[in-house]
Amino acid sequence: MSALISPSAWVMHSALNLAEIDCVTAVMLKILDGKCKMNENESRIMTALYDATKDKKGAHLNNEYHAMIATARNSMPNCKSSLIEQIYEKRVLAETQISRPVMKAFKARLRSESVLPRKLRS
């Protein structure tokens, strides 16, 4: 098993397109609303990836999304349920703006470029 690459180093040396930036933001929303199925290590990696990309422009998910994420992160772990509900609604909307194949391809890229661990085949 190869060593993983630091998310911030990967972002500095990789050309991410606008849709991929949106993918990172959408995953961060999913982590915050508690619906993310990634394990704790992968969630930490994706959070670090979000931190490294949050100032980059996405295709659809920009300032309004980043402000909500910042508010939620600053109020964790005592985030109000109303804010969690807003995050959930924004995440669902975000996911309608990113096609499933784009998200799957982006996650596959992260695994193939050693940002996320490769999935073990069962």
Side-chain angles (χ1 to χ4, degrees):
M1 180 179 204
S2 63
L4 295 178
I5 296 170
S6 152
S8 57
W10 183 78
V11 167
M12 285 187 343
H13 297 99
S14 297
L16 277 76
N17 64 46
L18 299 178
E20 291 173 325
I21 299 296
D22 283 351
C23 288
V24 175
T25 303
V27 171
M28 189 67 216
L29 290 167
K30 200 165 194 170
I31 290 168
L32 290 172
D33 77 6
K35 305 296 185 203
C36 187
K37 294 179 183 173
M38 292 181 159
N39 65 41
E40 191 175 323
N41 182 50
E42 289 175 336
S43 290
R44 274 195 304 271
I45 292 167
M46 289 305 296
T47 298
L49 190 58
Y50 173 78
D51 287 337
T53 60
K54 67 184 175 190
D55 295 327
K56 296 185 179 295
K57 184 169 175 37
H60 304 287
L61 314 182
N62 292 304
N63 296 340
E64 180 184 357
Y65 289 85
H66 299 305
M68 181 178 284
I69 289 168
T71 299
R73 290 175 81 186
N74 289 334
S75 65
M76 290 294 182
N78 302 316
C79 197
K80 292 188 169 132
S81 62
S82 60
L83 181 56
I84 298 293
E85 183 63 30
Q86 289 175 343
I87 291 168
Y88 169 79
E89 289 171 8
K90 284 290 186 190
R91 192 232 339 137
V92 171
L93 177 61
E95 288 177 340
T96 66
Q97 296 174 315
I98 304 167
S99 74
R100 218 177 210 343
V102 167
M103 181 64 86
K104 288 186 106 166
F106 179 62
K107 287 181 181 175
R109 178 181 179 194
L110 293 176
R111 292 187 193 291
S112 73
E113 295 183 17
S114 298
V115 179
L116 286 174
R118 293 184 189 270
K119 290 278 187 189
L120 300 175
R121 296 186 187 240
S122 40

